[in-house]
Amino acid sequence: MSIELGKFNQLEVVKEVDFGVYLDGGEEGEILLPTRYVPEDCKIGDFLNVFLYLDMDERLIATTLTPLVQVGQFACLEVSWVNQYGAFLNWGLMKDLFVPFREQKMKMQVGRKYVVHAHVDEESYRIVASAKVERYLSKEKPEYAPGAEVNILIWQKTDLGFKAIIDDMYSGLLYENEIFCPLETGMEMKAFVKQVREDGKVDLILQKPGFEKIDDFSKTLLDYIKEHGGRINLNDKSPAEDIYDTFGVSKKTFKKGVGDLYKKRLITLHEDGIVLADS
Protein backbone atom coordinates (compact mmCIF):
# COMPACT_ATOMS: atom_id res chain seq x y z
CA MET A 1 0.00 0.00 0.00
CA SER A 2 1.24 3.47 -0.89
CA ILE A 3 0.01 6.70 0.61
CA GLU A 4 -0.39 10.08 -1.10
CA LEU A 5 1.09 13.07 0.69
CA GLY A 6 -1.03 16.20 0.47
CA LYS A 7 -4.21 14.30 -0.36
CA PHE A 8 -6.94 12.31 1.37
CA ASN A 9 -6.25 8.63 2.03
CA GLN A 10 -8.40 5.79 3.38
CA LEU A 11 -6.30 4.32 6.22
CA GLU A 12 -6.99 1.64 8.81
CA VAL A 13 -6.82 2.32 12.57
CA VAL A 14 -4.25 -0.08 14.04
CA LYS A 15 -3.47 1.28 17.51
CA GLU A 16 -5.06 3.46 20.20
CA VAL A 17 -2.92 5.68 22.43
CA ASP A 18 -3.60 8.43 24.98
CA PHE A 19 -2.92 11.18 22.44
CA GLY A 20 -4.81 9.75 19.47
CA VAL A 21 -4.77 6.72 17.19
CA TYR A 22 -2.22 5.33 14.80
CA LEU A 23 -3.12 4.52 11.20
CA ASP A 24 -1.54 1.95 8.89
CA GLY A 25 0.65 3.91 6.45
CA GLY A 26 2.05 0.86 4.68
CA GLU A 27 5.70 1.34 3.81
CA GLU A 28 5.68 4.70 5.63
CA GLY A 29 4.87 2.97 8.92
CA GLU A 30 2.25 4.07 11.42
CA ILE A 31 0.83 7.59 11.11
CA LEU A 32 -0.61 9.53 14.05
CA LEU A 33 -4.11 11.00 14.02
CA PRO A 34 -4.18 13.31 17.09
CA THR A 35 -7.04 12.96 19.58
CA ARG A 36 -8.80 16.19 18.52
CA TYR A 37 -9.39 14.71 15.04
CA VAL A 38 -10.43 11.19 16.09
CA PRO A 39 -14.15 10.55 15.43
CA GLU A 40 -16.35 9.41 18.30
CA ASP A 41 -16.73 5.63 18.62
CA CYS A 42 -13.57 5.14 16.53
CA LYS A 43 -12.05 1.69 17.09
CA ILE A 44 -9.24 -0.50 15.82
CA GLY A 45 -10.06 -1.87 12.37
CA ASP A 46 -12.04 1.19 11.27
CA PHE A 47 -11.01 2.89 8.02
CA LEU A 48 -10.81 6.69 8.17
CA ASN A 49 -10.62 9.23 5.36
CA VAL A 50 -7.71 11.46 6.41
CA PHE A 51 -5.54 14.17 4.88
CA LEU A 52 -1.79 13.55 5.18
CA TYR A 53 0.85 16.25 5.58
CA LEU A 54 4.06 16.88 7.52
CA ASP A 55 4.08 18.37 11.03
CA MET A 56 6.53 20.92 12.44
CA ASP A 57 9.15 18.19 12.80
CA GLU A 58 8.63 16.99 9.19
CA ARG A 59 6.87 13.81 10.35
CA LEU A 60 3.85 12.39 8.56
CA ILE A 61 0.65 13.26 10.41
CA ALA A 62 -3.04 12.83 9.66
CA THR A 63 -6.04 15.09 10.08
CA THR A 64 -9.74 14.91 9.33
CA LEU A 65 -9.78 18.64 8.55
CA THR A 66 -10.20 19.62 4.91
CA PRO A 67 -7.44 22.02 3.78
CA LEU A 68 -8.14 24.90 1.42
CA VAL A 69 -5.97 23.24 -1.22
CA GLN A 70 -4.61 19.76 -1.89
CA VAL A 71 -1.57 18.64 -3.86
CA GLY A 72 -2.24 19.10 -7.57
CA GLN A 73 -4.80 21.86 -7.02
CA PHE A 74 -4.84 25.65 -7.33
CA ALA A 75 -6.25 28.03 -4.71
CA CYS A 76 -6.16 31.66 -3.60
CA LEU A 77 -4.58 31.79 -0.14
CA GLU A 78 -3.62 34.51 2.35
CA VAL A 79 -0.08 35.05 3.58
CA SER A 80 0.15 34.53 7.35
CA TRP A 81 3.82 35.37 7.82
CA VAL A 82 7.17 35.60 6.03
CA ASN A 83 10.78 34.92 6.98
CA GLN A 84 14.18 34.82 5.32
CA TYR A 85 13.26 31.69 3.36
CA GLY A 86 9.88 32.63 1.93
CA ALA A 87 6.20 33.09 2.74
CA PHE A 88 3.74 30.92 4.68
CA LEU A 89 0.12 30.66 3.61
CA ASN A 90 -2.94 29.83 5.67
CA TRP A 91 -4.47 26.69 4.16
CA GLY A 92 -6.62 25.74 7.12
CA LEU A 93 -4.20 23.41 8.93
CA MET A 94 -1.99 23.73 12.02
CA LYS A 95 1.16 24.11 9.92
CA ASP A 96 1.14 26.82 7.23
CA LEU A 97 1.92 26.12 3.56
CA PHE A 98 5.42 27.23 2.51
CA VAL A 99 6.17 29.25 -0.65
CA PRO A 100 9.95 29.59 -1.25
CA PHE A 101 11.14 32.91 -2.66
CA ARG A 102 12.06 31.16 -5.91
CA GLU A 103 8.38 30.22 -6.36
CA GLN A 104 7.10 33.79 -5.93
CA LYS A 105 6.45 36.09 -8.88
CA MET A 106 6.83 39.10 -6.59
CA LYS A 107 7.73 39.27 -2.94
CA MET A 108 4.62 38.14 -1.07
CA GLN A 109 3.21 40.38 1.65
CA VAL A 110 1.47 39.44 4.91
CA GLY A 111 -2.32 39.79 4.68
CA ARG A 112 -2.49 39.65 0.88
CA LYS A 113 -3.91 36.74 -1.11
CA TYR A 114 -2.26 34.98 -4.04
CA VAL A 115 -3.28 32.26 -6.46
CA VAL A 116 -0.90 29.33 -6.02
CA HIS A 117 -0.44 25.69 -6.98
CA ALA A 118 0.31 23.07 -4.31
CA HIS A 119 2.74 20.25 -5.05
CA VAL A 120 5.27 17.96 -3.38
CA ASP A 121 8.85 19.16 -3.72
CA GLU A 122 10.82 16.22 -5.11
CA GLU A 123 14.03 17.11 -3.27
CA SER A 124 12.69 17.77 0.22
CA TYR A 125 9.47 15.70 0.09
CA ARG A 126 7.66 18.70 1.53
CA ILE A 127 4.31 20.11 0.43
CA VAL A 128 5.01 23.56 -1.01
CA ALA A 129 3.18 26.10 -3.12
CA SER A 130 4.14 28.13 -6.17
CA ALA A 131 2.73 31.40 -7.48
CA LYS A 132 4.20 30.57 -10.91
CA VAL A 133 0.99 28.81 -11.82
CA GLU A 134 1.56 28.77 -15.61
CA ARG A 135 4.16 26.06 -15.03
CA TYR A 136 1.51 23.71 -13.65
CA LEU A 137 -1.23 24.23 -16.23
CA SER A 138 -1.74 21.52 -18.85
CA LYS A 139 -0.20 22.14 -22.28
CA GLU A 140 -2.59 19.64 -23.88
CA LYS A 141 -5.52 20.88 -25.97
CA PRO A 142 -8.71 20.54 -23.89
CA GLU A 143 -11.49 18.27 -25.17
CA TYR A 144 -14.35 20.53 -24.05
CA ALA A 145 -17.37 20.90 -26.30
CA PRO A 146 -18.92 24.37 -26.71
CA GLY A 147 -21.39 24.95 -23.89
CA ALA A 148 -19.67 22.59 -21.45
CA GLU A 149 -20.05 23.65 -17.81
CA VAL A 150 -16.75 23.97 -15.94
CA ASN A 151 -15.44 25.08 -12.55
CA ILE A 152 -13.15 28.09 -12.66
CA LEU A 153 -10.86 30.02 -10.33
CA ILE A 154 -10.35 33.67 -11.31
CA TRP A 155 -6.60 33.99 -11.66
CA GLN A 156 -5.58 37.46 -12.83
CA LYS A 157 -6.81 40.62 -14.58
CA THR A 158 -5.48 41.32 -18.07
CA ASP A 159 -6.09 43.96 -20.73
CA LEU A 160 -8.57 41.60 -22.41
CA GLY A 161 -10.48 40.55 -19.30
CA PHE A 162 -9.77 37.91 -16.66
CA LYS A 163 -7.66 34.79 -16.88
CA ALA A 164 -9.17 31.78 -15.12
CA ILE A 165 -7.98 28.30 -14.18
CA ILE A 166 -10.40 25.67 -15.48
CA ASP A 167 -11.01 22.44 -13.53
CA ASP A 168 -7.59 22.68 -11.82
CA MET A 169 -6.00 21.99 -15.20
CA TYR A 170 -6.36 24.47 -18.05
CA SER A 171 -6.12 28.22 -18.64
CA GLY A 172 -9.13 30.11 -19.92
CA LEU A 173 -10.14 33.70 -20.60
CA LEU A 174 -13.28 35.72 -19.82
CA TYR A 175 -13.46 38.74 -22.13
CA GLU A 176 -14.15 42.13 -20.57
CA ASN A 177 -17.10 42.91 -22.87
CA GLU A 178 -18.82 39.65 -21.88
CA ILE A 179 -18.49 40.10 -18.10
CA PHE A 180 -21.62 41.41 -16.39
CA CYS A 181 -20.87 40.95 -12.70
CA PRO A 182 -17.97 42.09 -10.48
CA LEU A 183 -14.99 39.73 -10.60
CA GLU A 184 -11.79 39.62 -8.59
CA THR A 185 -8.82 37.32 -8.19
CA GLY A 186 -9.59 34.24 -6.12
CA MET A 187 -13.29 33.97 -6.91
CA GLU A 188 -14.52 30.43 -7.64
CA MET A 189 -17.60 29.88 -9.81
CA LYS A 190 -19.22 28.00 -12.64
CA ALA A 191 -18.62 29.05 -16.24
CA PHE A 192 -19.28 27.73 -19.73
CA VAL A 193 -16.93 27.00 -22.61
CA LYS A 194 -17.59 29.36 -25.52
CA GLN A 195 -14.97 27.75 -27.71
CA VAL A 196 -11.65 25.92 -27.68
CA ARG A 197 -9.37 27.60 -30.20
CA GLU A 198 -7.05 25.72 -32.55
CA ASP A 199 -4.09 26.73 -30.40
CA GLY A 200 -5.78 25.12 -27.36
CA LYS A 201 -6.79 28.36 -25.67
CA VAL A 202 -10.23 28.33 -24.06
CA ASP A 203 -12.70 31.22 -24.29
CA LEU A 204 -15.20 31.27 -21.42
CA ILE A 205 -18.55 32.91 -20.77
CA LEU A 206 -20.51 33.22 -17.53
CA GLN A 207 -23.97 32.50 -18.91
CA LYS A 208 -25.09 29.29 -20.55
CA PRO A 209 -24.93 29.45 -24.36
CA GLY A 210 -28.43 29.74 -25.75
CA PHE A 211 -29.63 32.14 -23.08
CA GLU A 212 -28.23 34.82 -25.35
CA LYS A 213 -31.25 34.05 -27.54
CA ILE A 214 -34.26 35.98 -26.26
CA ASP A 215 -36.75 33.19 -26.92
CA ASP A 216 -34.71 30.68 -24.89
CA PHE A 217 -34.44 32.93 -21.84
CA SER A 218 -38.03 34.17 -22.16
CA LYS A 219 -39.26 30.60 -21.66
CA THR A 220 -36.90 30.10 -18.72
CA LEU A 221 -38.10 33.35 -17.10
CA LEU A 222 -41.78 32.50 -17.67
CA ASP A 223 -41.34 29.02 -16.17
CA TYR A 224 -39.50 30.50 -13.16
CA ILE A 225 -42.30 33.02 -12.48
CA LYS A 226 -44.90 30.24 -12.69
CA GLU A 227 -42.89 28.05 -10.30
CA HIS A 228 -42.71 30.91 -7.78
CA GLY A 229 -46.42 31.61 -7.39
CA GLY A 230 -46.80 33.90 -10.38
CA ARG A 231 -44.63 36.69 -8.99
CA ILE A 232 -40.94 37.55 -8.61
CA ASN A 233 -39.31 40.50 -6.85
CA LEU A 234 -36.93 41.29 -9.70
CA ASN A 235 -37.48 43.79 -12.49
CA ASP A 236 -35.43 45.70 -15.07
CA LYS A 237 -34.20 48.09 -12.34
CA SER A 238 -32.80 45.29 -10.16
CA PRO A 239 -29.00 45.09 -9.65
CA ALA A 240 -27.18 43.00 -12.26
CA GLU A 241 -25.70 40.88 -9.46
CA ASP A 242 -29.17 39.88 -8.18
CA ILE A 243 -30.26 38.95 -11.69
CA TYR A 244 -27.16 36.87 -12.28
CA ASP A 245 -27.46 35.12 -8.90
CA THR A 246 -31.02 34.09 -9.78
CA PHE A 247 -30.82 33.27 -13.48
CA GLY A 248 -27.14 33.19 -14.44
CA VAL A 249 -27.65 35.75 -17.22
CA SER A 250 -26.68 39.35 -17.84
CA LYS A 251 -29.03 42.22 -17.08
CA LYS A 252 -29.18 42.91 -20.82
CA THR A 253 -30.45 39.38 -21.55
CA PHE A 254 -32.89 39.62 -18.62
CA LYS A 255 -34.35 42.93 -19.87
CA LYS A 256 -34.78 41.54 -23.39
CA GLY A 257 -36.57 38.48 -21.98
CA VAL A 258 -38.85 40.68 -19.86
CA GLY A 259 -39.59 42.85 -22.87
CA ASP A 260 -40.44 39.80 -24.98
CA LEU A 261 -42.90 38.45 -22.38
CA TYR A 262 -44.43 41.90 -21.87
CA LYS A 263 -45.06 42.35 -25.61
CA LYS A 264 -46.79 38.97 -25.64
CA ARG A 265 -48.94 40.20 -22.70
CA LEU A 266 -47.83 37.26 -20.56
CA ILE A 267 -46.64 39.43 -17.67
CA THR A 268 -47.33 42.78 -16.04
CA LEU A 269 -44.59 45.02 -14.68
CA HIS A 270 -44.66 46.61 -11.21
CA GLU A 271 -42.25 48.67 -9.13
CA ASP A 272 -41.70 45.74 -6.77
CA GLY A 273 -41.42 43.00 -9.38
CA ILE A 274 -43.05 41.07 -12.22
CA VAL A 275 -46.43 39.31 -12.12
CA LEU A 276 -48.05 36.83 -14.49
CA ALA A 277 -50.74 38.56 -16.51
CA ASP A 278 -53.41 36.12 -15.39
CA SER A 279 -52.36 36.10 -11.68
Side-chain angles (χ1 to χ4, degrees):
M1 180 187 74
S2 61
I3 58 101
E4 290 189 282
L5 181 64
K7 296 184 179 182
F8 278 92
N9 297 253
Q10 288 278 346
L11 301 182
E12 183 180 3
V13 178
V14 294
K15 185 190 301 181
E16 296 179 358
V17 290
D18 292 340
F19 45 87
V21 298
Y22 279 100
L23 310 172
D24 180 11
E27 295 178 359
E28 299 294 336
E30 295 178 348
I31 302 171
L32 176 66
L33 176 66
T35 301
R36 59 181 170 273
Y37 305 126
V38 178
E40 289 186 17
D41 303 324
C42 176
K43 60 185 182 299
I44 292 175
D46 286 351
F47 279 84
L48 302 179
N49 190 37
V50 294
F51 182 81
L52 300 181
Y53 68 115
L54 302 179
D55 66 12
M56 300 295 184
D57 298 315
E58 305 299 328
R59 297 173 301 192
L60 265 173
I61 194 164
T63 180
T64 51
L65 295 177
T66 299
L68 300 177
V69 67
Q70 298 181 46
V71 162
Q73 296 179 345
F74 299 86
C76 187
L77 303 176
E78 183 176 335
V79 177
S80 296
W81 56 290
V82 298
N83 66 11
Q84 66 268 36
Y85 303 108
F88 296 82
L89 311 179
N90 175 18
W91 62 327
L93 301 181
M94 294 286 288
K95 180 185 177 184
D96 292 325
L97 182 60
F98 180 52
V99 188
F101 282 125
R102 67 176 182 276
E103 297 296 334
Q104 300 177 26
K105 281 187 168 182
M106 58 186 73
K107 191 171 182 181
M108 291 183 167
Q109 300 176 20
V110 173
R112 292 194 60 183
K113 292 185 175 182
Y114 302 86
V115 173
V116 297
H117 177 268
H119 60 279
V120 176
D121 181 70
E122 294 181 358
E123 294 182 8
S124 65
Y125 192 61
R126 298 169 69 187
I127 304 171
V128 298
S130 173
K132 298 179 179 180
V133 297
E134 299 96 331
R135 185 188 304 164
Y136 301 95
L137 293 167
S138 174
K139 304 299 188 294
E140 300 293 322
K141 184 177 180 180
E143 297 293 327
Y144 296 119
E149 183 176 290
V150 294
N151 295 307
I152 66 169
L153 169 66
I154 301 300
W155 169 19
Q156 61 182 198
K157 181 80 171 69
T158 73
D159 292 338
L160 295 176
F162 281 88
K163 283 186 178 181
I165 297 170
I166 307 170
D167 291 337
D168 272 320
M169 191 174 301
Y170 303 107
S171 176
L173 181 65
L174 290 159
Y175 287 93
E176 186 71 48
N177 63 349
E178 296 178 324
I179 297 171
F180 44 83
C181 60
L183 296 181
E184 59 184 38
T185 298
M187 292 178 69
E188 297 182 54
M189 62 184 66
K190 300 285 187 182
F192 299 90
V193 174
K194 185 175 183 181
Q195 67 173 340
V196 178
R197 299 175 179 268
E198 285 301 315
D199 60 4
K201 293 180 179 178
V202 183
D203 292 340
L204 298 166
I205 51 177
L206 290 176
Q207 65 188 58
K208 189 173 184 178
F211 277 172
E212 297 169 355
K213 301 174 184 176
I214 299 174
D215 289 344
D216 289 348
F217 178 66
S218 294
K219 182 179 184 306
T220 298
L221 176 58
L222 185 62
D223 289 344
Y224 185 89
I225 297 172
K226 289 178 179 178
E227 291 168 2
H228 289 76
R231 172 187 289 272
I232 61 172
N233 296 326
L234 296 172
N235 57 31
D236 58 3
K237 295 183 176 60
S238 298
E241 294 85 352
D242 293 348
I243 292 169
Y244 178 72
D245 287 344
T246 304
F247 297 106
V249 300
S250 66
K251 187 168 183 176
K252 181 179 179 182
T253 297
F254 177 78
K255 290 175 73 172
K256 286 181 177 179
V258 170
D260 183 54
L261 295 180
Y262 182 74
K263 288 176 184 176
K264 294 175 181 177
R265 299 186 178 180
L266 295 173
I267 59 173
T268 58
L269 306 180
H270 303 268
E271 287 189 6
D272 60 347
I274 299 171
V275 179
L276 282 181
D278 56 356
S279 294

